Amino acid sequence: MPESAAYGFRERAGRLVWPLLALALLLGLNAASAEVSFFRLTVRDGCLYGPAIDVLNRGAPLLLAALGMTLVIATGGVDLSVGAVLSIGGAAAAVLLAQHDAAAWVAALAALAVCLVAGLWNGAIIAFFGVQPIVATLVLMVAGRGIAQLMTAGQIVTFENPAFAALGTGYALGLPLPVWIALCAYLLTGLLVRRTALGLFVEAVGSNETASRYAGVNVRGVKLFVYALSGVCAGLAGLIAAADIKAADANNAGLYLELDAILAAVLGGAALTGGRFSLLGTLIGALFIQTMTTMILLRGVPVEPTLALKALIVLGVCLLQSEPLRRRLMFWRAAP
Amino acid sequence: MMARLFAGRLPLLATAVVCAALYVAAGLRYEGFVSQDVALNLLRDNSFLGLCALGETFVILAGGIDLSVGAMLGFTTILIATLIEQAGLHPALALPLALALGALFGAGQGSVIHFFKLPPFLVTLAGMFLLRGAGFMISLEAQTIRHPAYDALIDYSFDVFPLPIVIFLAGLAAALVLSDWTPFGRAVYALGGSESSARLMGLPIGRTKILVYTLSGLFAAAGGVVFTLYTQAGNPTAGAMLELDAIAAVVIGGTLLSGGIGHVFGTFLGVLTYGIIQMSIIFEGTLSSWWTRIAIGGLLVVFILLQRLIQRGNSE
């Protein structure tokens, strides 16, 4: 038993090598360029500031969305609605704060509850009606922003609530609060899936749904759980995004977030066919994406054309996962 | 056999009923809704969406998905505008060049999907990023097209039909012929029904797969051409989220996302349904445009669940 556990650990760690190398390469590139001091940290009033902290801070919504996405992908599904759910969460919190004078914790909990319902809706269509995840979550992806705009009546709703705004701009123990929220979410989820059998169930459903049903795994329950978790994670990201700008922008909050989240999970070693995942890998993948974005911003290059760069990275990672290509490479290596 | 045939046509029938009912309801509620002008606007406003959805239909029928159509449309518009305005190319050269590039890019995506056995979802997602990025590399700003030949194209109309509608309907006719009367069309249905059976039947799997994505790229590029005629400009952000609307139109049109079942004409009806909802919300006046998205989402749920019921009925 200890032996197999050690093997599992080594296997898992082995998969992290490539994402880690990529991140290290990116950070190395940053360190090498003298013009922007990427690692310069300054302490002001006991709080850390600097580009590296900024990556963590700005990346918090992506880190959270990618966390939920990883478990969804591990069951062989995909959640296209996280960007739309993020905007719903932000809109719900902002409307409660601005128009109903709700307390910060009431608004936050209510918004999370709304996002939980959104996640359960996705999970229910997939688990009980057997609809493919792409299609089922497409519904909320299409309608979600409409619902968010319905809440805000098409306006950008601004609010003044220092306690809530702290979620996005506050500091605790020298680090920004969004970073703590994301780290706590990873720790809690990590404990939940790796210290209980839940992670095993998730991977079992992703590897072979029929077999796991015969083995007594509650497939429907597992699916409901991962989509609900994804909804809550997107909601948390929405709270941070709204608190950051003290407003909810239903149109632009979390635009294309689902794509970055999927990319982070895939970069982190999750197979889109399901069956395996690594939360640590996803963390590294998300940091990689955010570092890239920040790096480009620091250099004053417009962000939009860099989408092409992202595309090439996705393609490269996909090709590395491709069976036929691997076989061909092995063949070449074996030939001479 | 009869039941099976009927089951296959049921979603198409449902779409036709929904589309007609919506049109009649809107006609009764809003004065002047049932008129030639409104009907022409309905077709014209949705011509580029319709072209993208037609191409998407083939991909989905073959059991795949293409997320790059919106980005392809945006890329094509800015490419055409820049070729004409900056490079001084004549539209007669720029338009075919843009169409050829669209087809070529689609073929590239299809090849990657086929030869490397990668999920279409991921490959076309990367394609979407790539095309958006490439569009922004050409120009970050929208670009107006001013060229005498282009103005002539914009002013051209066949009888009462302006050029965007003509291109849309021509695309529909071509798609109908391709899907119903060619070996390629039959191979698409077979491939979507069951890839292994199609292979055992000796159908050209690889060629069909690549051609399907080629077709989708070509139709999306044609959508881009229509978009430039419609707005007289190229814009790298054009067609944002259009892939969602296109997929929604295909599903509402009764094509199963699992592939193999559906019809090109259903997609046409799906696009019209989308257009009628949008137009009704404009006529209503007090409702905001985001109701369109909610209504489309609601229709999607209904059709997806309907499809599941039909599939379950078939398998039992």
Side-chain angles (χ1 to χ4, degrees):
Chain A
M1 186 62 201
E3 257 175 329
S4 73
Y7 174 73
F9 175 75
R10 195 179 295 170
E11 252 231 309
R12 285 211 173 98
R15 273 193 221 115
L16 290 181
V17 166
W18 286 105
L20 263 177
L21 264 180
L23 186 62
L25 188 76
L26 203 58
L27 291 175
L29 267 177
N30 270 316
S33 60
E35 44 191 324
V36 206
S37 48
F38 194 80
F39 291 104
R40 192 195 53 207
L41 292 176
T42 50
V43 183
R44 233 181 298 148
D45 304 330
C47 303
L48 286 171
Y49 290 90
I53 298 296
D54 199 50
V55 166
L56 287 171
N57 195 6
R58 299 271 151 232
L62 173 60
L63 282 169
L64 285 166
L67 172 65
M69 186 70 81
T70 305
L71 291 187
V72 168
I73 289 179
T75 63
V78 73
D79 186 354
L80 294 180
S81 70
V82 291
V85 172
L86 180 148
S87 75
I88 292 179
V95 167
L96 281 174
L97 288 171
Q99 287 158 19
H100 300 280
D101 288 324
W105 65 274
V106 175
L109 283 185
L112 285 184
V114 171
C115 294
L116 175 69
V117 170
L120 283 174
W121 158 266
N122 281 333
I125 305 185
I126 292 160
F128 294 105
F129 293 94
V131 176
Q132 301 140 277
I134 295 186
V135 187
T137 54
L138 180 74
V139 173
L140 255 191
M141 189 186 186
V142 171
R145 279 183 197 284
I147 295 171
Q149 277 173 326
L150 196 65
M151 290 178 175
T152 62
Q155 309 288 317
I156 294 180
V157 177
T158 56
F159 54 83
E160 278 301 329
N161 187 323
F164 189 83
L167 277 180
T169 51
Y171 267 79
L173 303 176
L175 281 178
L177 263 184
V179 179
W180 284 117
I181 295 174
L183 284 182
C184 286
Y186 270 85
L187 259 175
L188 284 178
T189 315
L191 283 177
L192 189 65
V193 295
R194 291 300 183 208
R195 291 288 158 216
T196 70
L198 194 62
L200 198 64
F201 290 163
V202 166
E203 285 179 330
V205 170
S207 314
N208 191 334
E209 201 181 313
T210 318
S212 25
R213 189 177 302 119
Y214 287 147
V217 175
N218 183 352
V219 174
R220 283 181 175 165
V222 167
K223 284 191 177 174
L224 263 181
F225 167 75
V226 294
Y227 286 96
L229 182 76
S230 178
V232 171
C233 283
L236 267 177
L239 293 184
I240 292 175
D244 190 30
I245 57 170
K246 296 190 183 65
D249 182 355
N251 257 333
N252 297 313
L255 207 58
Y256 295 121
L257 184 76
E258 50 279 343
L259 306 182
D260 277 349
I262 295 169
L263 180 53
V266 173
L267 280 173
L272 268 178
T273 43
R276 67 158 200 245
F277 71 93
S278 156
L279 291 184
L280 206 54
T282 302
L283 188 80
I284 297 168
L287 285 180
F288 177 83
I289 295 170
Q290 192 61 36
T291 309
M292 202 167 71
T293 314
T294 306
M295 204 173 135
I296 289 156
L297 278 174
L298 279 176
R299 277 170 179 66
V301 182
V303 190
E304 289 91 346
T306 57
L307 283 172
L309 185 66
K310 235 181 233 177
L312 292 178
I313 293 171
V314 187
L315 261 185
V317 173
C318 294
L319 285 177
L320 283 179
Q321 288 194 356
S322 151
E323 259 323 301
L325 189 73
R326 281 189 172 187
R327 237 179 295 141
R328 201 160 298 173
L329 287 178
M330 295 298 255
F331 180 70
W332 280 339
R333 213 182 287 165
Chain B
M1 185 65 208
M2 269 313 280
R4 175 101 179 82
L5 205 65
F6 183 66
R9 289 277 177 264
L10 195 61
L12 184 63
L13 215 68
T15 310
V17 170
V18 168
C19 184
L22 277 175
Y23 190 67
V24 170
L28 289 175
R29 187 171 164 88
Y30 311 115
E31 204 177 317
F33 194 91
V34 183
S35 70
Q36 195 190 6
D37 282 347
V38 172
L40 283 177
N41 271 336
L42 206 68
L43 280 174
R44 202 172 69 105
D45 294 349
N46 294 295
S47 51
F48 51 90
L49 168 66
L51 282 165
C52 291
L54 286 174
E56 186 81 61
T57 311
F58 283 94
V59 177
I60 291 178
L61 276 177
I65 195 143
D66 188 351
L67 296 178
S68 70
V69 293
M72 171 61 83
L73 182 139
F75 171 77
T76 309
T77 63
I78 192 63
L79 178 74
I80 291 172
T82 311
L83 280 180
I84 293 175
E85 287 296 313
Q86 312 277 330
L89 223 58
H90 195 274
L93 255 164
L95 296 185
L97 193 68
L99 289 176
L101 260 180
L104 197 70
F105 189 84
Q109 291 193 126
S111 305
V112 172
I113 289 166
H114 173 63
F115 289 117
F116 297 118
K117 301 222 179 334
L118 288 176
F121 173 77
L122 252 192
V123 174
T124 56
L125 185 65
M128 167 183 156
F129 276 143
L130 199 64
L131 285 169
R132 277 274 169 237
F136 283 119
M137 267 181 215
I138 295 177
S139 163
L140 282 173
E141 308 284 323
Q143 166 117 48
T144 321
I145 305 172
R146 304 212 174 282
H147 192 281
Y150 225 78
D151 292 341
L153 278 180
I154 289 166
D155 290 335
Y156 172 85
S157 63
F158 177 80
D159 197 28
V160 292
F161 299 112
L163 198 53
I165 299 183
V166 175
I167 297 177
F168 177 30
L169 293 181
L172 174 67
L176 278 172
V177 170
L178 265 178
S179 73
D180 283 21
W181 285 308
T182 63
F184 165 72
R186 287 191 287 278
V188 168
Y189 276 95
L191 180 61
S194 163
E195 183 167 341
S196 44
S197 308
R199 180 172 294 119
L200 290 176
M201 278 192 280
L203 290 169
I205 301 286
R207 196 174 67 198
T208 310
K209 248 190 205 174
I210 295 170
L211 266 179
V212 158
Y213 288 94
T214 311
L215 211 58
S216 180
L218 179 66
F219 268 95
V225 170
V226 165
F227 195 86
T228 58
L229 292 173
Y230 182 69
T231 58
Q232 205 178 352
N235 188 345
T237 61
M241 298 276 163
L242 190 79
E243 54 280 343
L244 289 186
D245 291 335
I247 296 169
V250 173
V251 174
I252 291 173
T255 298
L256 294 194
L257 271 150
S258 43
I261 296 177
H263 200 261
V264 169
F265 195 72
T267 299
F268 178 66
L269 291 176
V271 171
L272 284 188
T273 308
Y274 180 92
I276 291 170
I277 291 177
Q278 206 168 29
M279 191 68 91
S280 312
I281 282 161
I282 294 170
F283 264 73
E284 186 69 38
T286 55
L287 284 181
S288 321
S289 59
W290 57 80
W291 275 105
T292 313
R293 308 210 67 86
I294 297 178
I296 291 295
L299 258 187
L300 259 179
V301 179
V302 171
F303 273 82
I304 289 166
L305 294 184
L306 180 78
Q307 291 184 355
R308 285 305 300 175
L309 288 179
I310 292 167
Q311 274 178 319
R312 281 195 184 167
N314 272 356
S315 59
E316 273 159 19

